[in-house]
Amino acid sequence: MPTHNISYDAHPSPAALSAEDQELLEAAKGALPNSYSPYSNFQVAAAARLEDGTVVTGWNTENAAYPMCICAEPATLAAAASQRPGMPVVAMAITVKSANHVLDQPASPCGSCRQQLHEHESRFGTKMKLILRGESGPVFVFESAGDILPFGFSGKLL
Ligand code: THU
């Protein structure tokens, strides 16, 4: 039977990351208070590092009509596209904070976000490293956003 394996690093703390990846995670953490999440009380923020080293942040923005909520990941991709049109995002740190409990584990991007991250990689033919952390606890690092979307929909089919 065919199998699909995913490999990733699970570091006990951010101290194991390179200086630039630690900075990216700090930038995401610093953006958490910008989250507009009065309905879920669940803040999500991301920091993208672009090919030229620019760091751009984004966060989730909710709406009283719940399906219109904007996740942090596509908000960050859109912010990056506005600031540096046509430039790929080479790494994205994503972190979360709940008003209800301390999240001591990373939160995985939702399916819609994964598809959008995957599209970014296919569009530019580049890989986007993902650095995920909760409020505390381990840091998961995936070398490519595509790693967390096996069998993602491909525009090559259209
Ligand atoms: N959210 C994100 O920003 N990214 C994800 O990948 C999953 C969920 C947001 C949407 C909503 O504002 C809150 O988290 C709770 O679902």
Side-chain angles (χ1 to χ4, degrees), residues 40 42 44 60 62 71-73 109-110 113:
S40 69
F42 190 83
V44 186
N60 58 330
E62 299 186 346
C71 285
E73 297 88 337
C110 74
C113 290

Side-chain angles (χ1 to χ4, degrees), residues 30-89:
L32 279 171
N34 297 326
S35 162
Y36 174 67
S37 42
Y39 304 106
S40 69
N41 292 312
F42 190 83
Q43 300 178 330
V44 186
R49 185 168 64 242
L50 281 63
E51 204 172 46
D52 69 350
T54 305
V55 171
V56 173
T57 56
W59 42 84
N60 58 330
T61 298
E62 299 186 346
N63 192 287
Y66 298 163
M68 288 197 283
C69 293
I70 301 169
C71 285
E73 297 88 337
T76 305
L77 289 180
S82 298
Q83 292 190 32
R84 293 283 186 278
M87 186 174 292
V89 173

